[in-house]
Coordinates of all heavy atoms in Angstrom, one line a residue:
M550 N 27.1 16.6 25.2 CA 26.9 15.2 24.8 C 27.2 14.2 26.0 O 26.3 13.4 26.3 CB 27.8 14.9 23.7 CG 27.7 13.3 23.2 SD 26.3 12.9 22.3 CE 26.9 13.7 20.7
A551 N 28.2 14.4 26.7 CA 28.5 13.6 27.8 C 27.5 13.7 28.9 O 27.2 12.7 29.6 CB 29.9 14.0 28.3
R552 N 26.9 14.9 29.1 CA 25.9 15.0 30.1 C 24.6 14.2 29.7 O 24.0 13.6 30.7 CB 25.5 16.5 30.3 CG 26.7 17.1 30.9 CD 26.4 18.7 31.1 NE 25.2 18.9 32.0 CZ 24.8 20.1 32.3 NH1 25.3 21.1 31.7 NH2 23.7 20.2 33.0
I553 N 24.3 14.2 28.5 CA 23.2 13.3 28.1 C 23.4 11.9 28.4 O 22.6 11.1 28.8 CB 22.8 13.6 26.6 CG1 22.4 15.0 26.4 CG2 21.7 12.6 26.2 CD1 22.3 15.4 24.9
I554 N 24.5 11.5 28.0 CA 24.9 10.1 28.1 C 25.1 9.7 29.6 O 24.6 8.6 30.1 CB 26.3 9.8 27.5 CG1 26.1 9.9 25.9 CG2 26.8 8.3 27.8 CD1 27.3 10.1 25.1
D555 N 25.6 10.6 30.5 CA 25.7 10.3 31.9 C 24.1 10.1 32.5 O 23.9 9.2 33.2 CB 26.2 11.5 32.8 CG 27.7 11.5 32.6 OD1 28.3 10.4 32.2 OD2 28.4 12.6 32.9
R556 N 23.3 11.0 32.0 CA 21.8 10.9 32.4 C 21.2 9.6 31.9 O 20.6 8.8 32.7 CB 21.1 12.0 31.9 CG 21.4 13.4 32.4 CD 20.7 14.5 31.7 NE 19.4 14.6 32.1 CZ 18.6 15.7 32.0 NH1 19.3 16.7 31.5 NH2 17.4 15.6 32.2
L557 N 21.6 9.2 30.8 CA 21.0 7.9 30.1 C 21.5 6.7 31.0 O 20.7 5.8 31.4 CB 21.4 7.7 28.6 CG 20.8 6.5 28.0 CD1 19.3 6.5 27.9 CD2 21.4 6.5 26.6
L558 N 22.8 6.7 31.2 CA 23.3 5.5 32.0 C 23.0 5.5 33.5 O 22.7 4.3 33.9 CB 25.0 5.6 31.9 CG 25.5 5.4 30.4 CD1 27.0 5.6 30.6 CD2 25.1 4.0 29.9
A559 N 22.6 6.7 33.9 CA 22.2 6.7 35.4 C 20.8 6.3 35.6 O 20.4 5.7 36.7 CB 22.3 8.1 36.0
I560 N 19.8 6.4 34.6 CA 18.4 6.0 34.9 C 18.2 4.6 34.6 O 17.2 4.1 35.1 CB 17.6 6.8 33.9 CG1 17.8 6.6 32.4 CG2 17.6 8.3 34.2 CD1 16.8 7.4 31.5
F561 N 18.9 3.8 34.0 CA 18.7 2.3 33.8 C 19.4 1.6 34.9 O 20.6 1.8 35.2 CB 19.2 2.0 32.4 CG 18.3 2.5 31.3 CD1 18.7 3.4 30.4 CD2 17.0 2.1 31.1 CE1 18.0 4.0 29.4 CE2 16.1 2.6 30.2 CZ 16.7 3.6 29.3
P562 N 18.7 0.6 35.4 CA 19.3 -0.2 36.5 C 20.5 -1.0 35.9 O 20.5 -1.5 34.7 CB 18.2 -1.2 36.9 CG 17.3 -1.2 35.8 CD 17.4 0.2 35.1
S563 N 21.5 -1.1 36.8 CA 22.7 -1.9 36.4 C 23.3 -2.5 37.6 O 22.9 -2.2 38.8 CB 23.7 -1.1 35.7 OG 24.3 0.0 36.5
R564 N 24.2 -3.4 37.4 CA 25.1 -3.9 38.6 C 26.1 -3.0 39.1 O 27.2 -3.1 38.8 CB 25.6 -5.2 38.2 CG 24.6 -6.2 37.8 CD 25.2 -7.7 37.6 NE 24.1 -8.5 37.2 CZ 24.0 -9.1 36.1 NH1 24.9 -8.6 35.1 NH2 23.0 -9.9 35.8
G565 N 25.7 -1.9 39.8 CA 26.7 -1.0 40.3 C 26.8 0.1 39.2 O 26.2 0.2 38.2
E566 N 27.5 1.1 39.6 CA 27.8 2.2 38.7 C 28.6 1.8 37.5 O 29.5 1.1 37.5 CB 28.5 3.4 39.5 CG 28.4 4.7 38.8 CD 29.0 5.8 39.7 OE1 28.6 5.9 40.8 OE2 29.7 6.6 39.1
A567 N 28.2 2.3 36.2 CA 29.0 2.1 35.1 C 30.4 2.7 35.1 O 30.6 3.9 35.7 CB 28.2 2.7 33.8
P568 N 31.3 1.9 34.7 CA 32.7 2.5 34.6 C 32.9 3.6 33.7 O 32.0 3.9 32.7 CB 33.6 1.3 34.2 CG 32.7 0.3 33.7 CD 31.3 0.7 34.1
V569 N 33.9 4.6 34.0 CA 34.0 5.7 33.1 C 34.3 5.3 31.6 O 33.8 6.0 30.7 CB 35.2 6.6 33.6 CG1 35.6 7.7 32.6 CG2 34.9 7.1 35.0
S570 N 34.9 4.1 31.5 CA 35.1 3.7 30.0 C 33.8 3.4 29.2 O 33.7 3.7 28.0 CB 35.9 2.4 30.0 OG 35.2 1.3 30.7
V571 N 32.7 3.2 29.9 CA 31.5 3.0 29.2 C 30.9 4.3 28.8 O 30.5 4.5 27.5 CB 30.4 2.2 30.2 CG1 29.0 2.3 29.5 CG2 30.8 0.9 30.5
Q572 N 30.9 5.3 29.6 CA 30.6 6.7 29.2 C 31.6 7.2 28.1 O 30.9 7.8 27.1 CB 30.6 7.6 30.4 CG 29.9 8.9 30.2 CD 31.0 10.0 29.7 OE1 32.3 9.8 29.6 NE2 30.5 11.1 29.3
E573 N 32.8 6.9 28.2 CA 33.6 7.3 27.2 C 33.4 6.7 25.8 O 33.4 7.2 24.8 CB 35.1 7.0 27.5 CG 35.6 7.9 28.6 CD 36.9 7.4 29.3 OE1 37.4 6.4 29.0 OE2 37.6 8.3 30.0
D574 N 33.0 5.4 25.8 CA 32.6 4.7 24.6 C 31.4 5.3 24.0 O 31.3 5.6 22.7 CB 32.4 3.2 24.8 CG 33.7 2.5 25.1 OD1 34.7 2.8 24.8 OD2 33.5 1.3 25.7
W575 N 30.4 5.6 24.7 CA 29.1 6.1 24.2 C 29.5 7.5 23.7 O 29.0 7.9 22.6 CB 28.1 6.3 25.4 CG 27.4 5.0 25.7 CD1 27.9 3.8 26.2 CD2 26.0 4.7 25.4 NE1 26.9 2.8 26.3 CE2 25.7 3.3 25.7 CE3 25.0 5.3 24.9 CZ2 24.6 2.8 25.8 CZ3 23.8 4.9 24.8 CH2 23.5 3.6 25.2
T576 N 30.2 8.3 24.3 CA 30.5 9.6 23.8 C 31.3 9.4 22.6 O 31.0 10.3 21.6 CB 31.4 10.4 24.9 OG1 30.6 10.5 26.1 CG2 31.7 11.8 24.4
R577 N 32.3 8.6 22.5 CA 33.1 8.5 21.2 C 32.3 8.1 20.1 O 32.5 8.6 18.9 CB 34.2 7.5 21.5 CG 35.2 7.2 20.3 CD 36.3 6.2 20.6 NE 35.8 5.0 21.4 CZ 35.2 3.9 20.8 NH1 35.1 4.0 19.5 NH2 34.8 3.0 21.7
V578 N 31.4 7.2 20.3 CA 30.5 6.6 19.2 C 29.5 7.7 18.7 O 29.3 7.7 17.5 CB 29.8 5.4 19.6 CG1 28.9 4.9 18.8 CG2 30.9 4.2 19.8
L579 N 28.9 8.4 19.6 CA 27.9 9.3 19.3 C 28.4 10.9 19.0 O 27.6 11.6 18.6 CB 27.0 9.4 20.6 CG 26.1 8.1 20.8 CD1 25.4 8.3 22.1 CD2 25.3 7.8 19.7
Q580 N 29.8 11.0 19.1 CA 30.2 12.4 19.0 C 29.9 13.0 17.5 O 29.9 14.3 17.6 CB 31.7 12.5 19.3 CG 32.7 11.9 18.4 CD 34.0 11.9 18.7 OE1 34.3 12.5 19.8 NE2 34.8 11.2 17.9
D581 N 29.8 12.3 16.6 CA 29.6 12.9 15.3 C 28.2 13.0 14.8 O 27.8 13.5 13.8 CB 30.5 12.1 14.2 CG 31.9 12.2 14.4 OD1 32.4 13.2 14.8 OD2 32.6 11.2 14.1
E582 N 27.2 12.5 15.7 CA 25.9 12.7 15.5 C 25.3 14.0 16.0 O 25.9 14.6 16.8 CB 25.2 11.5 16.1 CG 25.6 10.1 15.8 CD 25.6 9.7 14.4 OE1 24.6 10.3 13.7 OE2 26.4 9.0 13.8
P583 N 24.3 14.4 15.3 CA 23.7 15.7 15.7 C 23.2 15.7 17.1 O 22.5 14.7 17.5 CB 22.5 16.0 14.7 CG 22.8 15.0 13.6 CD 23.6 13.8 14.2
I584 N 23.6 16.7 18.0 CA 23.2 16.7 19.3 C 21.6 16.6 19.5 O 21.1 16.1 20.5 CB 23.8 17.9 20.1 CG1 23.6 17.7 21.6 CG2 23.2 19.2 19.6 CD1 24.5 16.7 22.3
A585 N 20.9 17.4 18.6 CA 19.6 17.3 18.6 C 18.9 15.9 18.5 O 17.9 15.7 19.2 CB 18.9 18.3 17.6
S586 N 19.4 15.2 17.7 CA 19.1 13.8 17.4 C 19.3 13.0 18.7 O 18.6 12.1 19.1 CB 19.6 13.2 16.2 OG 19.1 13.9 15.0
V587 N 20.5 13.1 19.2 CA 20.9 12.4 20.5 C 19.9 12.8 21.6 O 19.4 11.9 22.3 CB 22.3 12.6 20.9 CG1 22.7 12.1 22.3 CG2 23.3 12.3 19.8
W588 N 19.6 14.1 21.8 CA 18.7 14.5 22.9 C 17.3 14.0 22.6 O 16.6 13.4 23.5 CB 18.7 16.0 22.8 CG 17.7 16.6 24.0 CD1 16.5 17.0 23.9 CD2 18.0 16.4 25.3 NE1 16.0 17.2 25.1 CE2 16.9 16.9 26.0 CE3 19.1 15.9 26.2 CZ2 16.7 17.0 27.5 CZ3 19.0 15.9 27.5 CH2 17.9 16.6 28.1
A589 N 16.9 14.0 21.3 CA 15.4 13.5 20.9 C 15.3 12.0 21.2 O 14.4 11.5 21.7 CB 15.1 13.8 19.6
T590 N 16.5 11.3 20.9 CA 16.5 9.8 21.1 C 16.5 9.5 22.6 O 15.7 8.6 23.2 CB 17.6 9.2 20.5 OG1 17.4 9.4 19.1 CG2 17.6 7.6 20.7
Y591 N 17.2 10.3 23.4 CA 17.3 10.1 24.9 C 15.9 10.3 25.4 O 15.3 9.5 26.2 CB 18.3 11.1 25.5 CG 18.2 11.2 26.9 CD1 18.7 10.2 27.8 CD2 17.5 12.4 27.5 CE1 18.5 10.5 29.3 CE2 17.2 12.5 28.8 CZ 17.8 11.7 29.7 OH 17.7 11.8 31.0
D592 N 15.3 11.4 24.9 CA 13.9 11.8 25.4 C 12.9 10.7 25.0 O 12.0 10.4 26.0 CB 13.6 13.1 24.9 CG 12.3 13.7 25.7 OD1 12.5 13.8 26.8 OD2 11.4 14.1 25.0
R593 N 13.0 10.1 24.0 CA 12.1 9.0 23.6 C 12.2 7.8 24.5 O 11.3 7.1 24.9 CB 12.3 8.7 22.0 CG 11.3 7.7 21.6 CD 11.4 7.4 20.2 NE 12.1 8.5 19.4 CZ 13.2 8.2 18.5 NH1 13.7 7.0 18.4 NH2 13.7 9.2 17.9
Y594 N 13.5 7.5 24.8 CA 13.7 6.3 25.6 C 13.4 6.4 27.0 O 12.9 5.5 27.6 CB 15.4 5.8 25.6 CG 15.7 5.1 24.4 CD1 16.4 5.5 23.3 CD2 15.3 3.6 24.4 CE1 16.6 4.6 22.2 CE2 15.5 2.8 23.4 CZ 16.3 3.3 22.2 OH 16.6 2.4 21.2
I595 N 13.5 7.5 27.6 CA 13.1 7.7 29.0 C 11.6 7.8 29.2 O 11.1 7.6 30.3 CB 13.7 9.0 29.7 CG1 13.2 10.3 29.0 CG2 15.3 9.0 29.6 CD1 13.6 11.6 29.7
R596 N 10.9 7.9 28.1 CA 9.4 7.9 28.1 C 8.9 6.5 28.0 O 7.6 6.2 28.0 CB 8.9 8.8 27.1 CG 9.1 10.3 27.4 CD 8.8 11.1 26.2 NE 9.3 12.4 26.5 CZ 8.6 13.5 27.0 NH1 7.3 13.3 27.6 NH2 9.1 14.7 27.2
K597 N 9.7 5.5 27.5 CA 9.2 4.2 27.3 C 8.9 3.5 28.7 O 9.8 3.6 29.5 CB 10.3 3.3 26.5 CG 10.5 3.7 25.1 CD 11.3 2.7 24.4 CE 11.4 3.0 23.0 NZ 12.2 1.9 22.3
P598 N 7.9 2.7 28.8 CA 7.6 2.0 30.1 C 8.6 0.8 30.2 O 9.1 0.4 29.1 CB 6.1 1.5 29.8 CG 6.0 1.6 28.5 CD 6.8 2.6 27.8
G599 N 8.8 0.5 31.4 CA 9.7 -0.7 31.6 C 11.1 -0.2 32.0 O 11.3 1.0 32.3
Q600 N 11.9 -1.2 32.2 CA 13.4 -0.8 32.7 C 14.3 -1.3 31.6 O 15.4 -1.7 32.1 CB 13.5 -1.5 34.0 CG 12.7 -0.9 35.0 CD 13.1 -1.6 36.5 OE1 13.6 -2.5 36.7 NE2 12.6 -0.7 37.5
W601 N 14.0 -1.4 30.5 CA 15.0 -2.0 29.3 C 15.9 -0.9 29.1 O 15.5 0.3 28.8 CB 14.1 -2.4 28.2 CG 15.0 -2.8 27.0 CD1 15.5 -4.0 26.8 CD2 15.3 -2.0 26.0 NE1 16.3 -4.0 25.8 CE2 16.3 -2.8 25.1 CE3 15.1 -0.9 25.6 CZ2 16.7 -2.5 23.9 CZ3 15.8 -0.3 24.3 CH2 16.5 -1.1 23.6
A602 N 17.1 -1.2 29.1 CA 18.3 -0.2 28.7 C 18.6 -0.6 27.3 O 19.0 -1.7 26.9 CB 19.3 -0.3 29.7
P603 N 18.8 0.4 26.4 CA 19.2 0.2 25.0 C 20.7 -0.2 25.0 O 21.5 0.5 25.9 CB 18.9 1.4 24.3 CG 18.9 2.5 25.4 CD 18.5 1.9 26.6
S604 N 21.1 -0.9 24.1 CA 22.6 -1.1 23.9 C 23.1 0.2 23.0 O 22.3 0.9 22.6 CB 22.8 -2.4 23.0 OG 22.4 -2.0 21.7
L605 N 24.3 0.4 23.1 CA 24.8 1.5 22.4 C 24.6 1.4 20.9 O 24.2 2.3 20.2 CB 26.4 1.5 22.6 CG 27.2 2.6 21.8 CD1 26.6 4.0 22.1 CD2 28.6 2.6 22.2
G606 N 24.6 0.2 20.4 CA 24.2 0.0 19.0 C 22.7 0.3 18.7 O 22.4 1.0 17.7
D607 N 21.9 0.0 19.6 CA 20.4 0.3 19.4 C 20.3 1.8 19.5 O 19.5 2.5 18.7 CB 19.6 -0.4 20.5 CG 19.5 -1.9 20.3 OD1 19.6 -2.4 19.2 OD2 19.2 -2.6 21.3
F608 N 20.9 2.4 20.4 CA 20.7 3.9 20.7 C 21.2 4.6 19.4 O 20.6 5.4 18.9 CB 21.3 4.4 21.9 CG 21.1 5.6 22.4 CD1 19.9 5.9 23.1 CD2 21.9 6.7 22.0 CE1 19.6 7.2 23.5 CE2 21.5 8.0 22.5 CZ 20.4 8.2 23.2
L609 N 22.5 4.2 18.9 CA 23.1 4.8 17.7 C 22.1 4.6 16.6 O 21.9 5.6 16.0 CB 24.5 4.2 17.6 CG 25.2 4.7 16.2 CD1 25.3 6.1 16.2 CD2 26.4 3.9 16.0
N610 N 21.6 3.5 16.4 CA 20.6 3.3 15.2 C 19.4 4.3 15.4 O 19.1 4.8 14.3 CB 20.3 1.8 15.3 CG 19.4 1.6 14.0 OD1 18.1 1.6 14.1 ND2 20.1 1.1 13.0
A611 N 18.9 4.4 16.5 CA 17.7 5.3 16.7 C 18.2 6.8 16.5 O 17.5 7.5 15.9 CB 17.2 5.1 18.1
V612 N 19.3 7.2 16.9 CA 19.8 8.6 16.7 C 19.9 8.7 15.2 O 19.6 9.8 14.7 CB 21.2 8.8 17.4 CG1 21.9 10.0 16.9 CG2 21.0 8.8 18.9
Q613 N 20.6 7.7 14.4 CA 20.8 8.0 13.1 C 19.5 8.0 12.3 O 19.3 8.6 11.3 CB 21.6 6.8 12.5 CG 23.2 7.0 13.0 CD 24.1 5.8 12.7 OE1 23.6 4.7 12.5 NE2 25.4 6.2 12.5
R614 N 18.5 7.2 12.7 CA 17.2 7.2 12.0 C 16.5 8.5 12.3 O 16.0 9.2 11.3 CB 16.3 6.1 12.6 CG 16.6 4.8 12.1 CD 15.4 3.8 12.4 NE 14.8 3.9 13.8 CZ 15.2 3.2 14.8 NH1 16.1 2.3 14.7 NH2 14.5 3.3 15.9
H615 N 16.6 9.1 13.5 CA 16.2 10.5 13.8 C 16.8 11.5 12.9 O 16.1 12.4 12.2 CB 16.3 10.8 15.2 CG 15.7 12.1 15.6 ND1 16.5 13.3 15.4 CD2 14.5 12.5 16.1 CE1 15.7 14.3 15.9 NE2 14.5 13.9 16.2
A616 N 18.0 11.4 12.8 CA 18.9 12.4 12.1 C 18.5 12.3 10.5 O 18.3 13.4 9.9 CB 20.4 12.3 12.2
A617 N 18.3 11.2 10.1 CA 17.9 10.9 8.8 C 16.5 11.5 8.4 O 16.3 12.1 7.4 CB 18.0 9.5 8.2
T618 N 15.6 11.3 9.4 CA 14.2 11.9 9.2 C 14.2 13.4 9.1 O 13.7 14.0 8.3 CB 13.4 11.4 10.4 OG1 13.3 9.9 10.3 CG2 11.9 12.0 10.3
I619 N 15.1 13.9 10.1 CA 15.2 15.4 10.0 C 15.8 15.9 8.7 O 15.3 16.9 8.0 CB 16.1 15.9 11.1 CG1 15.4 15.7 12.5 CG2 16.3 17.4 11.1 CD1 14.0 16.2 12.8
D620 N 16.8 15.3 8.1 CA 17.4 15.6 6.9 C 16.4 15.5 5.7 O 16.4 16.4 4.9 CB 18.6 14.7 6.5 CG 19.9 15.0 7.3 OD1 19.9 16.1 8.0 OD2 20.7 14.1 7.5
R621 N 15.5 14.5 5.8 CA 14.5 14.3 4.7 C 13.5 15.5 4.7 O 13.1 16.0 3.8 CB 13.8 13.0 4.9 CG 14.7 11.8 4.2 CD 13.9 10.6 4.1 NE 13.2 10.2 5.3 CZ 13.8 9.3 6.2 NH1 15.1 8.9 6.1 NH2 13.2 8.9 7.4
V622 N 13.2 15.8 6.0 CA 12.2 17.0 6.2 C 12.8 18.2 5.7 O 12.1 19.0 5.0 CB 11.7 17.1 7.7 CG1 10.9 18.3 7.9 CG2 10.9 15.8 8.1
K623 N 14.1 18.6 6.0 CA 14.7 19.8 5.6 C 14.8 19.8 4.1 O 14.6 20.8 3.4 CB 16.2 19.8 6.3 CG 16.0 20.2 7.7 CD 17.3 20.1 8.5 CE 18.6 20.3 7.7 NZ 19.8 20.2 8.5
L624 N 15.1 18.6 3.4 CA 15.3 18.5 1.9 C 13.9 18.8 1.4 O 13.8 19.6 0.4 CB 15.8 17.2 1.6 CG 15.9 16.9 0.0 CD1 16.8 18.0 -0.6 CD2 16.3 15.5 -0.2
S625 N 12.8 18.2 2.0 CA 11.5 18.5 1.4 C 11.0 19.9 1.6 O 10.5 20.5 0.6 CB 10.4 17.6 2.1 OG 9.1 17.8 1.7
L626 N 11.4 20.5 2.6 CA 11.0 21.9 2.7 C 11.8 22.9 1.8 O 11.3 23.8 1.2 CB 11.2 22.4 4.2 CG 10.3 21.7 5.3 CD1 10.7 22.1 6.6 CD2 8.9 22.2 5.0
S627 N 13.1 22.5 1.7 CA 13.9 23.2 0.8 C 13.3 23.1 -0.7 O 13.4 24.0 -1.4 CB 15.2 22.7 0.8 OG 16.2 23.3 -0.2
M628 N 12.9 21.9 -1.1 CA 12.4 21.7 -2.4 C 11.1 22.5 -2.6 O 10.8 23.1 -3.7 CB 12.2 20.2 -2.8 CG 13.6 19.5 -2.8 SD 13.3 17.8 -2.9 CE 12.6 17.5 -4.5
E629 N 10.2 22.5 -1.5 CA 8.9 23.2 -1.6 C 9.2 24.7 -1.7 O 8.6 25.4 -2.6 CB 8.2 23.0 -0.4 CG 7.1 22.0 -0.2 CD 6.2 21.9 -1.4 OE1 5.5 22.9 -1.7 OE2 6.1 20.9 -2.2
K630 N 10.2 25.2 -1.1 CA 10.5 26.6 -1.1 C 11.0 27.0 -2.5 O 10.8 28.1 -2.9 CB 11.6 26.9 -0.1 CG 12.0 28.3 0.1 CD 13.1 28.6 1.1 CE 13.6 30.0 1.2 NZ 14.6 30.2 2.2
N631 N 11.7 26.2 -3.1 CA 12.3 26.5 -4.4 C 11.4 26.3 -5.6 O 11.8 26.5 -6.7 CB 13.7 25.6 -4.7 CG 14.8 26.0 -3.8 OD1 14.8 27.2 -3.4 ND2 15.5 25.2 -3.4
K632 N 10.1 25.9 -5.3 CA 9.2 25.7 -6.5 C 8.7 27.0 -7.0 O 8.6 28.0 -6.4 CB 7.9 24.9 -5.9 CG 8.3 23.4 -5.9 CD 7.1 22.8 -5.6 CE 7.2 21.2 -5.7 NZ 6.1 20.5 -5.3

């Protein structure tokens, strides 16, 4: 998880290098989210044009939306299988 966050923080322009506490905050907030959803969200953000950096809250929201979508797909497939 920390490696993904390091990559995310490194690609967006900032005023100098982000302090370790920023990476720790991102890791702490995202630690309970599915790693696949964190990676998918990271991948989506690095493909966006421009130099806009997401806030931690925006990124978390996108991760949770991705995870919820995956959960709905898994539930739907499970229900189809049980028919």
Side-chain angles (χ1 to χ4, degrees):
M550 174 82 66
R552 290 177 66 185
I553 297 169
I554 293 165
D555 284 343
R556 290 170 73 160
L557 180 68
L558 295 175
I560 61 172
F561 290 111
S563 64
R564 294 187 182 108
E566 192 170 317
V569 172
S570 62
V571 172
Q572 191 267 354
E573 290 170 350
D574 288 343
W575 281 66
T576 301
R577 179 178 46 80
V578 169
L579 295 169
Q580 71 183 350
D581 294 329
E582 302 303 327
I584 190 74
S586 293
V587 173
W588 182 258
T590 303
Y591 164 77
D592 196 49
R593 189 174 336 123
Y594 273 106
I595 65 171
R596 294 170 190 271
K597 285 186 175 185
Q600 296 183 342
W601 176 80
S604 70
L605 176 51
D607 290 336
F608 193 84
L609 175 62
N610 186 274
V612 168
Q613 290 172 334
R614 282 193 322 264
H615 180 273
T618 300
I619 297 302
D620 287 343
R621 285 191 302 273
V622 169
K623 286 172 29 181
L624 179 61
S625 177
L626 291 173
S627 173
M628 292 172 68
E629 264 314 295
K630 183 179 175 182
N631 292 331
K632 282 185 175 181

